[in-house]
Structures are given as structure tokens and as C-alpha cells.
Amino acid sequence: VEEGRDLPEKPILITFDDGYESNYQIAFPILEEYGMEAVIFTIGVSVGKDTYKDTGAAITPHFSYEEAREMAESGVISIQSHTYDMHQSARLDAAPARTSAVPLEGESEEDYMAAFLTDMERSIAEIQEGVGEPVTALAYPNGDYTTLSQALCAKLGLKATFTTEARTNVLIKGLPQCLYGLGRYNVEEISGAALLELLRG
């Protein structure tokens, strides 16, 4: 898109959301073994945690920034943003929980913009400090986004945003907007055989 170079034939981008410890313990060594690379989108508030914020409620353990830096420095993994705290739990957070990066019901545009920018600025700063690499992409929590959230991502200098929409993407040389709202296939929703068939097509 930026340099006008052709992509490899049938390119694949492997992505993981949330930043689970299993990404470090299981996926990272496998990717390294097979000479593959991936992107992990981390939830900032959960990095290094196995409980949910200050609730004491157990959650799936998340890798630390030390482990994230090791993965990033290997060249195998890129650490990017899944917001700092816009992937809240409707069960564990006080209402109204912000379960995605879109405006809350009744929230003013001004308040939403302030909340989104504050959250993402913290996410970007912590990843850059903790991992030592620039943040250029955001995977929207639950895949939800609006025209305004896309505009705010551009304001923050992000080059790509990802949804959870199951579709193949079309990238166009010289058109940076095509990197916003990228679709992804969830491995829980598509079988290996079906994915291979997609790639053959």
C-alpha cells in the first residue's frame, strides 16, 4: 500500500487478540520453529495479570511486558493495541461497561472522543515503553467501530485497524484507507479445511 510493491501470492497475516500467556508459552515457540510471524493485540489493563483489575476475579493469564519484549525482539511477534481498557466485562465492571471502542449509549461525541483518545494514548505509550516498538495498528474489541473511531485512529497515526468481520481483504497500492477496518477469519468459526479452500480460491 505505501511502497507500491506487490504482495506475495495469497498472503496470510496471523493475529491473536487479548495477549494471553498461552501466546507466549505455546504460539510463540511454534511460530519460531516454522519460521512464521504474527501480530498480538494486547489489552493494556490486563498485561501481566491473572485477575480482573481490582476485583480479584480470576481471568485467563496474560503475558507480561518482559515476555512481550522477548517476543518482539525475536522478530517473530509484533505487539499492537487492543485498547488499554475498552474491552471491559459487562459482568465485572460497573455499569455502563465499555465493552467495545464505540460510544456508550447516550454518550456525547465530545466525551467519547476524549475517552477514546485517552485510552489509546495510554495503550500506545505503555506498549512502546514496555516492548520498545512503535504501535501502528489496533484490533477493535469485539470488532466494533464507527466512522469517528476510524478518524480518531488516523489522528493517532495508526496505519491499520482490524475488525472481527469474516472476509478477505483487498489492498490497493497508494490507498492507505484500505488498511482500515480489515476483516479477519476467526479460527473458531472456520474449519482448517474451509480455510485451505479459501486460500486455494
Side-chain angles (χ1 to χ4, degrees), residues 38-189:
V39 179
I40 301 174
F41 297 101
T42 60
I43 303 168
V45 74
S46 297
V47 172
K49 305 278 181 60
D50 60 7
T51 57
Y52 190 74
K53 299 181 186 175
D54 58 358
T55 65
I59 58 172
T60 304
H62 290 66
F63 57 69
S64 67
Y65 276 124
E66 184 180 355
E67 291 164 330
R69 181 179 283 269
E70 180 187 341
M71 290 189 284
E73 289 178 348
S74 74
V76 172
I77 303 286
S78 175
I79 305 294
Q80 297 295 315
S81 179
H82 202 31
T83 73
Y84 181 78
D85 189 22
M86 289 191 155
H87 204 333
Q88 296 178 354
S89 166
R91 183 174 61 85
L92 296 172
D93 274 290
R98 195 180 286 279
T99 58
S100 65
V102 298
L104 297 169
E105 187 175 344
E107 185 174 31
S108 72
E109 186 173 287
E110 184 179 73
D111 286 348
Y112 166 70
M113 290 173 64
F116 184 92
L117 291 171
T118 299
D119 181 278
M120 281 302 300
E121 285 165 356
R122 182 168 182 179
S123 174
I124 290 166
E126 289 198 5
I127 292 171
Q128 290 180 167
E129 181 181 347
V131 180
E133 78 172 347
V135 176
T136 58
L138 165 69
Y140 287 112
N142 295 310
D144 299 328
Y145 65 98
T146 64
T147 302
L148 179 55
S149 63
Q150 297 281 60
L152 294 173
C153 286
K155 178 182 175 71
L156 290 164
L158 299 180
K159 294 184 177 183
T161 63
F162 294 79
T163 73
T164 55
E165 296 165 18
R167 58 181 163 76
T168 303
N169 300 294
V170 176
L171 304 186
I172 302 166
K173 294 175 184 177
L175 189 69
Q177 305 94 292
C178 72
L179 295 172
Y180 270 42
L182 295 168
R184 296 186 290 171
Y185 291 101
N186 189 334
V187 294
E188 294 174 354
E189 296 169 2

